[in-house]
Amino acid sequence: MSLFFPSWEVFRFAEERKQVRHENVFESGCLSDSFSVVLIFIFQGTALDSITRFATTSFFTTGSEDSCLSRNESVLYRKSSPYKPSSHLVSKLRSYEELHKRCGPHSDSYKRSIKQLKSGQINHNSSDCRYIVWVAGYGLGNRMLSITSAFLYGLLTDRVLLINQEYEMIGLFCEPFPNASWILPEDFPFKNKLRRFKQNYDHSFGKMVQSNTFDCSTELLPSYLYLFLSHDCSHHDQLFFCDQYQAPLSKVPWLIMRSNLYFVPSMFLMSSFDQELNKLFPDKETVFHHLGRYLFHPSDRVWGLITKYYQDHLARAEKRIGIQIRIFHAKTSPFEYVMDQILDCIRKEKLLPEVGTEKSIASSSNNQTSKVVLLTSLFRDYFEKLKKIYGEHPTKTGEVIAVYQPSHEGRQRTWSNSHNVQAWAEIYLLSLSDELVTTAWSTFGYVAQGLRGIRPLILYNQTTPNPPCGRGVSMEPCYLTPPTFDCKALTTTVDTGALVPHVRHCEDHIWGLKLFNSS
């Protein structure tokens, strides 16, 4: 199916949605009278935005187009992306969708592969379907980044991505692929044991390499392998990113991957993927931007929270500023230091106007909020301080500043479904900002900036940072704990941030790796 459709269908779509959603969206002040013009711009400019996926939504087995409202309606809230995906990426995604339809859960190919997996009698030379099963670890930001990494690996190696969905992930995302689910079925062999797989599991790739039992002979390769690619993986686990192991790995039908990292930069260092990646992503810092927008659409449950909060608090502002605060260690990041850093950053970058010393005078009811600050943090203190500053004193420019914080749960509750629902809603709301301030090393912030398609201002993790923040040079997420060895020598340590022009060290983490445009 062609990804594009005639412009008259855009207008028909706009009119139909206008009639259906008139009371909920248009009367909220979210949109201006230039609605048709905006749609034309998005239709022409970005091949992977939600509007262009409208043509495929009716094919989802989960129901009608309304079973995933965000897929169509995100265009009403999100700024259009200036980054156009390559034609090769669009073609690759269409091909993957066909592969997922043919090989996905409950297909004949899937059933045949499961039967062979149970029996242990695998034909490694067959052209049948191959799979990569993603297993969760750590917070939602980590999960979304590692899912994207696993998906890209699947694109490069023609593997079908299946998600081992635990309770805490239920109901967060729409199904991303037409005609088939990406959820690992409940009857998958040893599904209940996947979360308990350890680094030294017998079928672990790293352990087998270390013990010299990972033989490249197809007769000796196992029917499945466990890939442990989390932040605390070993040197032998990381050999997965060496070209010489990719050929034998391609013969293993099932790869079960646990990761909490954005390991995409390491794939850009592999010669076996180099040519294809260059065709897929000529603009190197748009990998997560394109794949994240393609994969992650809020479920109707989450979308309802997002749209209501947006309409209630953000819609009428002339400018929206997102500030994401992540405190990793309270002792090394006391409130006073972090708050001063935020205020210094706001002042240095002129994000908000300065306030006067006089007490505020009751504002006229006709005053329109000029700027809205959306602050996300597990703690409420930062919100209270910022709200007090702009609530008790008028700005020198006369602008009206509103400050909002959707939640403040006090601690991260990774295994809570409701916590992850709230986290996903807040990530998405941040991605609707005109300007974004994020915390160094935070995967929560990485996801928001990538979905938005913006180089954020980064709050540095230092006790007395000077400067308090700096503009990111790339909007890509950081691979926080990458390999540091030479794949040819295997034991020699090298600076993996100096091997190719487009993979360099992160602005916010000196040991991390990140994709940059080489220019």
Side-chain angles (χ1 to χ4, degrees):
M1 176 177 292
S2 173
L3 187 66
F4 299 100
F5 43 95
S7 59
W8 68 266
E9 290 193 334
V10 177
F11 289 108
R12 177 177 59 80
F13 166 77
E15 289 304 310
E16 289 177 355
R17 300 308 292 172
K18 183 174 181 180
Q19 294 174 11
V20 174
R21 299 282 287 174
H22 177 78
E23 293 183 0
N24 291 337
V25 177
F26 286 83
E27 290 186 352
S28 69
C30 296
L31 301 174
S32 67
D33 293 333
S34 58
F35 177 58
S36 297
V37 176
V38 174
L39 278 178
I40 293 173
F41 175 76
I42 292 175
F43 169 74
Q44 293 176 339
T46 63
L48 294 184
D49 274 343
S50 301
I51 187 71
T52 63
R53 301 274 301 165
F54 173 73
T56 66
T57 54
S58 61
F59 292 91
F60 275 74
T61 57
T62 52
S64 67
E65 66 169 81
D66 287 334
S67 65
C68 185
L69 293 172
S70 66
R71 191 183 307 279
N72 301 327
E73 294 180 3
S74 61
V75 69
L76 309 178
Y77 299 87
R78 173 185 276 166
K79 287 183 179 294
S80 61
S81 172
Y83 305 102
K84 186 176 181 179
S86 68
S87 59
H88 189 66
L89 175 58
V90 175
S91 174
K92 190 76 170 181
L93 292 174
R94 296 291 85 82
S95 297
Y96 175 84
E97 290 172 356
E98 289 301 315
L99 175 68
H100 200 103
K101 176 184 176 182
R102 177 170 61 85
C103 300
H106 312 303
S107 66
D108 290 341
S109 296
Y110 175 85
K111 293 175 182 177
R112 185 164 55 250
S113 184
I114 289 294
K115 185 176 181 180
Q116 293 175 348
L117 178 62
K118 288 179 177 179
S119 68
Q121 298 176 351
I122 304 293
N123 181 1
H124 293 284
N125 295 311
S126 75
S127 59
D128 215 341
C129 304
R130 294 172 299 153
Y131 301 85
I132 182 166
V133 177
W134 174 86
V135 181
Y138 284 74
L140 183 61
N142 298 74
R143 296 180 185 210
M144 294 176 72
L145 294 178
S146 61
I147 287 173
T148 304
S149 303
F151 177 63
L152 179 56
Y153 182 73
L155 283 182
L156 295 171
T157 58
D158 295 322
R159 287 184 180 272
V160 171
L161 173 66
L162 298 178
I163 304 299
N164 182 45
Q165 180 175 259
E166 301 285 358
Y167 165 77
E168 69 273 6
M169 294 282 286
I170 292 175
L172 297 186
F173 308 112
C174 299
E175 291 278 4
F177 312 124
N179 302 299
S181 175
W182 70 339
I183 305 301
L184 186 71
E186 290 297 320
D187 60 357
F188 179 75
F190 49 83
K191 182 181 187 303
N192 295 331
K193 300 178 181 179
L194 291 179
R195 177 168 274 183
R196 298 195 296 272
F197 279 9
K198 302 299 181 184
Q199 188 173 5
N200 60 352
Y201 181 65
D202 287 343
H203 276 254
S204 166
F205 166 77
K207 182 178 181 180
M208 293 183 71
V209 170
Q210 184 178 15
S211 61
N212 295 317
T213 56
F214 185 73
D215 196 299
C216 293
S217 168
T218 55
E219 290 78 13
L220 299 177
L221 287 172
S223 59
Y224 71 95
L225 274 175
Y226 177 55
L227 306 173
F228 185 78
L229 300 179
S230 293
H231 68 282
D232 53 347
C233 64
S234 70
H235 165 81
H236 293 95
D237 295 314
Q238 292 178 337
L239 293 178
F240 169 80
F241 297 111
C242 292
D243 285 294
Q244 58 265 42
Y245 288 101
Q246 287 303 312
L249 280 170
S250 68
K251 301 295 183 180
V252 180
W254 290 87
L255 298 180
I256 300 170
M257 175 187 293
R258 180 187 295 277
S259 177
N260 60 349
L261 297 166
Y262 186 71
F263 57 81
V264 166
S266 278
M267 287 189 277
F268 275 80
L269 296 177
M270 301 171 68
S271 59
S272 55
F273 298 147
D274 185 60
Q275 185 176 2
E276 179 68 5
L277 284 171
N278 284 331
K279 291 166 63 178
L280 290 171
F281 301 102
D283 186 346
K284 298 298 186 294
E285 65 175 273
T286 61
V287 177
F288 182 78
H289 177 67
H290 289 317
L291 296 185
R293 284 194 172 197
Y294 174 82
L295 287 173
F296 302 116
H297 299 275
S299 66
D300 287 358
R301 172 191 180 191
V302 180
W303 187 240
L305 296 176
I306 293 168
T307 54
K308 185 178 189 309
Y309 198 90
Y310 185 93
Q311 293 163 20
D312 288 348
H313 302 298
L314 309 178
R316 294 171 179 80
E318 296 175 6
K319 189 171 184 179
R320 286 165 283 275
I321 299 168
I323 301 179
Q324 179 260 336
I325 303 169
R326 179 71 163 96
I327 304 300
F328 294 98
H329 304 290
K331 290 184 179 180
T332 57
S333 302
F335 169 77
E336 294 80 7
Y337 285 109
V338 177
M339 192 70 236
D340 286 345
Q341 182 184 6
I342 295 168
L343 294 175
D344 287 346
C345 181
I346 288 173
R347 188 180 303 112
K348 171 180 174 288
E349 300 294 333
K350 296 181 172 57
L351 296 180
L352 297 174
E354 295 184 18
V355 296
T357 55
E358 67 274 16
K359 290 291 183 181
S360 64
I361 302 173
S363 300
S364 168
S365 59
N366 294 325
N367 272 2
Q368 172 69 35
T369 299
S370 301
K371 292 185 175 73
V372 163
V373 176
L374 177 72
L375 190 148
T376 65
S377 173
L378 291 172
F379 308 102
R380 189 172 177 82
D381 296 353
Y382 305 99
F383 161 75
E384 294 287 2
K385 179 71 173 180
L386 203 59
K387 183 181 179 182
K388 184 177 181 181
I389 291 173
Y390 286 97
E392 292 187 355
H393 304 280
T395 62
K396 292 182 178 180
T397 60
E399 295 174 273
V400 180
I401 309 300
V403 183
Y404 298 104
Q405 180 177 359
S407 71
H408 48 92
E409 298 197 28
R411 62 185 179 87
Q412 184 171 330
R413 296 185 292 126
T414 300
W415 312 114
S416 166
N417 183 262
S418 61
H419 177 89
N420 288 321
V421 165
Q422 183 66 39
W424 178 210
E426 292 185 15
I427 288 173
Y428 199 97
L429 286 167
L430 282 174
S431 77
L432 303 179
S433 302
D434 300 299
E435 183 63 271
L436 189 58
V437 181
T438 63
T439 300
W441 315 346
S442 173
T443 57
F444 195 100
Y446 292 159
V447 174
Q449 75 193 39
L451 292 178
R452 170 62 176 85
I454 193 173
R455 296 168 182 170
L457 289 164
I458 304 170
L459 296 168
Y460 299 122
N461 282 325
Q462 301 171 22
T463 305
T464 54
N466 185 22
C469 60
R471 178 68 63 181
V473 185
S474 168
M475 63 187 185
E476 272 287 288
C478 179
Y479 182 9
L480 294 170
T481 56
T484 58
F485 54 81
D486 184 339
C487 278
K488 294 179 180 178
L490 293 182
T491 57
T492 305
T493 298
V494 297
D495 182 1
T496 49
L499 298 178
V500 295
H502 50 275
V503 178
R504 306 200 298 273
H505 293 297
C506 310
E507 311 97 318
D508 58 334
H509 189 48
I510 191 171
W511 299 113
L513 291 183
K514 192 172 186 178
L515 291 171
F516 294 81
N517 286 323
S518 56
S519 60

